[in-house]
Amino acid sequence: MTKAPAATRTGRRRHDREIVALALPAFGALVAEPLFLMADSAIVGHLGTPQLAGLGIASALLTTAVSVFVFLAYATTAAVSRRVGAGDMAAAIRQGMDGIWLALLLGALVIAATLPSAPALIDLFGASDTAAPFAITYLRISSLGIPAMLVVLAATGVLRGLQDTKTPLYVAIGGFVANGILNVLLVYGFGLGIAGSAWGTVAAQWAMAAVYLVVVVRGARRHGASLRPDAAGIRASARAGAPLLVRTLSLRAVLMIATAVAARLGDADVAAHQIILTMWSLLAFALDAIAIAGQSIIGRYLGAGDKEGARAACRRMVEWGVAAGVVLGILVALSRPLFAQLFTNDQAVLDALQPALLVVAVSQPISGVVFVLDGVLMGAGDGPYLAWAMLATLAVFAPVALLLPQLGGGLTALWWAMVLMMAVRMATLWWRTRSGRWIVTGATR
């Protein structure tokens, strides 16, 4: 067996170092984010079941609202990293500031929509009479933190574009600690109940946003970048983010359809489905960390005009994605019994859960490729293609999933439909990367 040329091995090691340096802190920051909700749930849960139910409903709405705007991070990462690659740090930070101003504008609009409509939104989720007042209280107060959450998304994108994933990790850890301390103090120390939990989370979110702003402002001053809002720049950020918004909404639609189909299969199936989604989300954090590295690295190479470097980085990251998928798949397969027992002792749920989890395990190498190529194309600023590809994937998945109950398919069949969805995504993304049309060099696409 012949060895790879020394230059090839050196290039791989260089890419490996870059991927690890960006992906590991990114993974830590991604895992830290859901810990906010876990801390709130643990603290509020001791107040009573209605309070915890109210928190669950309000948090679902808030999480959905914020996840819709995740393009603030993705689009900003791609735009900033391109300018970094082109050697124009002032323009890179200026582009990042446009994304932050857009985040503040969108956050203000969300607050204006949420405050008056909170009771109707909670009622739409079917909250009980005992849980609804707590849900409304939490939603209204927590909505005041949405602009901060969106600023965090945009500023995270700025730092990722600047090839810095460590600062977001430190900020996320600090925010989690502050959130826990403030929640305990306000909920129990001052006796504010669920309102105290909401105010504590809002305070922690604005503190995180403030730290990010200090970091970005320092960078702007160091490189002579303007901090003032620029209407043309904000519009450009919105245009770049719009296709990624379509992509995200299409992906959310897939998950909503899957949950709706599981609900039609019966209580045991939908309970098992929710447990699997928890596992799926955890796996996604690990794979998304590699995708985030891809966004930063690919944008930088294309900004520098290095087409071959971008192709080589893409190939290496795909190898990482496959390897990570294989490892995660093996871990899921081996840990199925233990993981299931953490959530339920109901035998009907366990019976539905075990074979479906095995399907998830088998599909992880596919997921690894999908996440990596998604990140590569995002880093290339290829948002319009990602939007159309995800819409096509939704068009394939929806009829298959919706027909399953009529065809007698159960939860395992539903998760095979999810594998089909990921396979379609992989095919569309693989075709695009093979075509080379995503490789557009320069400071802007």
Side-chain angles (χ1 to χ4, degrees), residues 32-50:
E33 290 173 7
L35 293 179
F36 270 84
L37 179 56
M38 291 179 62
D40 288 1
S41 299
I43 293 167
V44 171
H46 291 286
L47 294 174
T49 299

Side-chain angles (χ1 to χ4, degrees), residues 223-306:
H223 296 286
S226 173
L227 297 173
R228 294 179 180 177
D230 176 65
I234 293 172
R235 285 195 299 271
S237 293
R239 283 195 300 271
L244 295 180
L245 174 61
V246 173
R247 167 202 167 275
T248 300
L249 290 174
S250 300
L251 183 56
R252 297 293 299 183
V254 165
L255 298 177
M256 290 174 64
I257 290 170
T259 299
V261 171
R264 291 166 64 184
L265 296 175
D267 289 347
D269 288 290
V270 74
H273 179 71
Q274 290 305 313
I275 294 171
I276 295 172
L277 280 179
T278 301
M279 168 68 84
W280 208 55
S281 297
L282 181 62
L283 297 170
F285 287 138
L287 297 175
D288 203 28
I290 304 174
I292 287 169
Q295 293 171 32
S296 304
I297 294 169
I298 294 297
R300 192 188 75 237
Y301 273 116
L302 294 178
D306 188 351

Side-chain angles (χ1 to χ4, degrees), residues 54-127:
L55 171 67
I57 295 169
S59 294
L61 284 165
L62 290 164
T63 301
T64 300
V66 174
S67 66
V68 164
F69 297 112
V70 73
F71 69 84
L72 289 166
Y74 295 158
T76 304
T77 298
V80 171
S81 61
R82 271 185 176 270
R83 287 159 176 80
V84 169
D88 192 346
M89 292 296 294
I93 296 176
R94 172 67 263 177
Q95 181 68 39
M97 284 304 305
D98 291 335
I100 290 173
W101 282 112
L102 176 62
L104 286 169
L105 175 61
L106 292 173
L109 292 175
V110 172
I111 288 178
T114 302
L115 288 177
S117 63
L121 290 171
I122 296 302
D123 184 62
L124 187 65
F125 267 62

